[in-house]
Amino acid sequence: MSTLLVANRGEIARRVIRTARAIGIRTVAVYSEPDARSPHVLDADAAVGIGGTTSAQSYLDGEKILDAARRSGADALHPGYGFLSENAGFAEACAHAGVLFVGPGPESMRDMGLKDRAKEIARKAGVPVLPDARLDGDDQQEWLAEAEGVGFPLLVKAVAGGGGKGMRLVRTADGLVDAVAGARREAGSSFGNPTVFLERYLDAARHVEIQVFGDTHGNAIHLGERECSVQRRHQKVLEEAPSPVVSPHLRERMGTTSVSLVRELGYLGAGTVEYLLDDRSGEFYFLEMNTRLQVEHPVTEEVTGVDLVALQLRVAQGEAIGIEQADVVPRGHAIEVRLYAEDPARDYLPTPGTLHRYAHQPRPGLRYEDGVAASGEVSAFYDPMLAKIIARGDTRAEAAGQLAAALDAVQVHGITTNREFLAALLRDRDFLAGETRTDFLDLHPQLLDPSPATPPVVHLAAAIAVSVARRRADDLVGGHAPPGFRPLIADLLTTAEWAPVGGEPVLVGYRLGSGHGDTDMVLVTDGVRHEFTLLRLGPDAVRVRHEGVDVPCTVAAHPDGSVWVNDPRAQSGWHPRPRLPEAGAGSAAATGPVSAMPGTVVAVQVAVGERVAAGQTLVVVEAMKMEHPAVAAVDGVVDEIHVEVGRFVQAGTLLVAIAPVEGTLS
């Protein structure tokens, strides 16, 4: 192996490139049109554009990937995770092209790559599994009959892929048909395979997985477990190693079962065997085997000291694993969180857009796996994960504390993220007690919209004060006159509208002293008067004293007019509004749902003239590999449909016009 093409993007491409370079292997990146300026492209020794915008047009196109390998002289290929990483046909195509595929053989991938088939093999091997049923046809009555046999609640799951894509939770028969249709669409789009199956759902289990490795010499080991129970939409949010509830005896049982499956398959390379664990009874049930590296592999690396990517590359070249099972002993505790461009308070709505700043503070015990850099664009075409942040400590509590503090210090300007949600999660009492089952977030909804660590009015004062200080510094004539100054009426306030990012505008009245350095400030919002002392006020920062507490704030202004404030505990973004309305402002509001974000229309579920009810799904838009239904706000009749399946729409696009039902109030 002399030249390695990394057939992926984002943080995992950067991760593989880093290790390959460290051991002297030349690297090649591939990139789609939206990713032309992405960090992974700049990290590699060479890069090849493969065109396209969506996953299907780029990273899922095996012919384009192999053509890039041929053009760049790559003799090996690492698929990362997702995309083509578990595609047996692609692995065979690599072999035919003379390119070494870093992963298991095609037969193992076929056996384990389809979840229903994998469960059947596990069942034959004596591994406990949950009841399930595959849905091959379009007979909805047959679907219902199979569902009754499996039992409710159940999951509709794509047989291919992972990451929560193509998965729906169904608690009663009423929701089955829509869930199957939606899961099929999403699975086809994400993995190129729309087949789904049904599986019994356990409400309060833990998601525990075992990292395994096999080589061509007949060796097989496991490297302990990871717990991944904290999930949203069946996609992992936080992972840790070891699990807070897995004892050495249970670890041995689960590990031995997993290694037996590896030996049965003659498995090569890195894999993960996933289980649902009932920690009350100690029973565990096979879910699937991922025949690739996992997103959460860093926590295993942190507690075992093994570089899993380096081990993948060695094993792929025919070397032995070189590690005995007895040598694998977890030391300390590691926790990983996934920093997403999404709004947890709005049902995890993805938030693509311009990334003005992304910065963090390196510290001992912390590891950052970044997929983005500023300034850049967070695309609507791919998964919304920006980065992974990993902390290792001697204890679980220490790792959680370090990670929460690291999140506080991360600066992400331009888009809404789940930063505050993750920090609140890590500090939650039940999380720290290890009460992390798959229903954890359902039982802790307050974490989705935590109270700001710093009062928003403090950040608003900092944003206004620094903005004024900047204007004064730029105004050589009248820059020293205080805003709102009048020679006869000294107490008038300057008024302006400031809107928090993602929120409604606030009418603000303020008066700021003219001093450069320490000065006083009065700010009025919603009829409430607030008084501040501003220390060391400058064009980039200010120390705000409010109610006896000093808060050091840095303030950044960006080209879109937004102003972002950070202090050691919190971050907020603000948009100052123009004092005069723009031309055209104040026109009549749209009469139907608009797209909440940029995306592609994948379903139109109504027709012109059809009567609809409030809450009914009208159009489905796919963005960042997830489906987002647009629903009717009120009862009415479909007057116009402005989109069709396959069309890409921008945020705010009117999708369907709804006319009021005759005889009702408009």
Side-chain angles (χ1 to χ4, degrees), residues 581-591:
E582 297 180 3
S587 59
T591 55

Side-chain angles (χ1 to χ4, degrees), residues 605-659:
Q605 299 185 354
V606 292
V608 172
E610 181 177 340
R611 185 162 179 164
V612 296
Q616 179 179 339
T617 297
L618 308 179
V619 173
V620 180
V621 176
E622 182 187 84
M624 288 181 158
K625 298 171 70 176
M626 300 294 286
E627 290 191 351
H628 307 277
V631 303
V634 296
D635 296 348
V637 175
V638 177
D639 187 41
E640 292 180 283
I641 298 175
H642 295 280
V643 295
E644 63 279 338
V645 173
R647 177 180 166 187
F648 182 83
V649 296
Q650 295 292 343
T653 300
L654 179 63
L655 303 172
V656 177
I658 304 296

Side-chain angles (χ1 to χ4, degrees), residues 498-621:
W498 284 70
V501 169
E504 295 299 316
V506 177
L507 184 63
V508 181
Y510 63 90
R511 186 180 68 253
L512 179 63
S514 60
H516 290 271
D518 297 355
T519 190
D520 293 327
M521 181 179 188
V522 172
L523 188 151
V524 177
T525 61
D526 295 327
V528 179
R529 179 185 174 98
H530 305 271
E531 296 183 356
F532 307 90
T533 298
L534 306 178
L535 312 173
R536 295 192 291 277
L537 172 61
D540 301 302
V542 62
R543 191 175 186 91
V544 180
R545 180 174 295 163
H546 178 58
E547 296 181 349
V549 178
D550 289 8
V551 181
C553 298
T554 59
V555 182
H558 298 293
D560 66 346
S562 65
V563 178
W564 290 77
V565 183
N566 286 86
D567 70 52
R569 299 192 304 164
Q571 172 182 281
S572 65
W574 302 84
H575 284 287
R577 296 299 182 92
R579 297 190 184 185
L580 295 175
E582 297 180 3
S587 59
T591 55
V594 298
S595 180
M597 59 183 302
T600 301
V601 176
V602 295
V604 177
Q605 299 185 354
V606 292
V608 172
E610 181 177 340
R611 185 162 179 164
V612 296
Q616 179 179 339
T617 297
L618 308 179
V619 173
V620 180
V621 176

